Amino acid sequence: MVSTTQGSQSTAVQQRMLVPRLSLMMFMQFFIWGSWSVTLGLVMTQHNMSLLIGDAFSAGPIASILSPFVLGMLVDRFFPSQKVLAVMHLAGAVILWFVPQAMIAENGTLLIALLFGYTLCYMPTLALTNNIAFHSLASSEKSFPIVRVFGTIGWIVAGIFIGVTGVSASVSIFTVAAICSVALAIYSLTLPHTPAPAKELPFKVRDLFCADAFALLKTRHFFVFSLCATLISIPLGTYYAFTASWLADAGVQNVSTIMSFGQMSEIFFMLVIPLLFRRLGVKYMLLIGMFAWFVRYALFAMGMNDETRTLIYLGILLHGVCYDFFFVVGFIYTDRIAGEKVKGQAQSMVVMFTYGIGMLLGSQISGALYNNLVAGQVSAQSWALFWWIPAVAAAVIAVVFFFSFKYRD
């Protein structure tokens, strides 16, 4: 009887600590990403590699296409998610350690190769952390936004940290990320056990090609979501690649700190997702998120003058709506649609479509736009035209989604 009571108490304590444990995982996950990616373009500019910014930000998307999908199959069929997470972050830390030397030597080829190798390790972990959280939480609609908001807090703290310490334009951002990667690798081994759900099933060739996850695209509303998620990630790639350089050209000081205000707005909007989810439903929350990208870029385009500088800050504060209402709600929607045996693959597929194909196109297209419109002729007019292009694209995608997405909650 005593042992049973102690067991019940132990289980109760574990349940109470579940959300804090998962929240710390998300905090560290996004602290790593936020510590180096936000000002990567600025650091490259400092080392005379501004023309390679588009290529540098293409490394992650290509990695998102190649690696997360296979990792999704592995965690669905063979290995516990928390152990795979530990291995990927440890390998990533080793690669990050060598990035500063390539940057200082202004060796663009080596830099791109290292960033590609690192993102091959990091990008799958976005789906892995989602998989661990969704597996452990009893009610994803209520609890996941609370857990995920700590990822946003991690990104904010990373931006403030590198800004306050004065390393936001320095190669030291990669050292910070490497140290935190080692810490998360160790911590991952303490996370809730997340077994491979289909481990006992016989392996088939179709599993190698993740055919069951692709089969979800036969469902019309999931196909429309996947297509629009891919397309809206093209403007997203523009934001990640060039906002830091644009703010510097606009005369904004403490770029990483200013950009962190966008993540601060995420905290508020992340926490209201559970409240709005039942009232608005999946479709209208996704639609609001997509339309917010049009509004944000329009504000950017109109905010280059001193008289309209406030519009820049309003656009940055819209990040919470842009990201949370589309991507976080999108992950929750995907968890609903996917069958129990392919949840890992399904989450990885969304990462592949968004952070992979969409952001690859966004990095390449925005890189070409920057090189043709802005590089060598920096002006308010050139940057305004640069931002109007993704603004119009986002508006068109939102309209297509509104008329095509048919899903009942």
Side-chain angles (χ1 to χ4, degrees), residues 132-286:
I132 292 170
F134 283 125
H135 175 80
S136 304
L137 297 169
S139 176
S140 59
E141 285 106 353
K142 294 180 179 179
S143 302
F144 182 72
I146 296 173
V147 169
R148 178 57 183 78
V149 78
F150 280 89
T152 300
I153 294 172
W155 187 290
I156 293 170
V157 172
I160 294 175
F161 176 79
I162 65 173
V164 171
T165 56
V167 301
S168 58
S170 163
V171 295
S172 296
I173 58 176
F174 299 104
T175 304
V176 172
I179 294 172
C180 191
S181 293
V182 174
L184 181 51
I186 297 171
Y187 180 67
S188 296
L189 298 176
T190 72
L191 291 171
H193 181 56
T194 309
K199 187 174 183 178
E200 302 302 324
L201 298 179
F203 182 76
K204 301 176 182 178
V205 175
R206 62 182 282 111
D207 297 324
L208 186 62
F209 296 98
C210 302
D212 291 331
F214 273 115
L216 295 174
L217 296 175
K218 294 179 181 178
T219 305
R220 176 182 169 83
H221 57 79
F222 188 75
F223 173 79
V224 172
F225 163 74
S226 299
L227 176 62
C228 290
T230 303
L231 294 175
I232 203 67
S233 296
I234 297 176
L236 174 66
T238 306
Y239 176 79
Y240 282 136
F242 289 100
T243 301
S245 299
W246 166 65
L247 288 174
D249 286 344
V252 175
Q253 303 296 318
N254 298 321
V255 170
S256 64
T257 302
I258 293 300
M259 289 185 68
S260 71
F261 284 109
Q263 277 67 45
M264 290 180 188
S265 74
E266 267 195 59
I267 296 176
F268 171 77
F269 290 107
M270 194 88 69
L271 294 176
V272 301
I273 284 177
L275 302 177
L276 296 177
F277 207 92
R278 292 182 179 179
R279 295 184 179 182
L280 297 179
V282 169
K283 178 174 181 176
Y284 288 100
M285 291 195 72
L286 292 173

Side-chain angles (χ1 to χ4, degrees), residues 17-32 85 89 129 132-133 146-155 180 183-188 190-192:
M17 292 302 296
L18 180 60
V19 169
R21 290 169 66 197
L22 295 173
S23 298
L24 179 57
M25 172 191 71
M26 285 293 185
F27 178 92
M28 298 175 74
Q29 173 77 17
F30 283 87
F31 182 97
I32 294 168
L85 184 67
H89 274 299
T129 50
I132 292 170
I146 296 173
V147 169
R148 178 57 183 78
V149 78
F150 280 89
T152 300
I153 294 172
W155 187 290
C180 191
L184 181 51
I186 297 171
Y187 180 67
S188 296
T190 72
L191 291 171

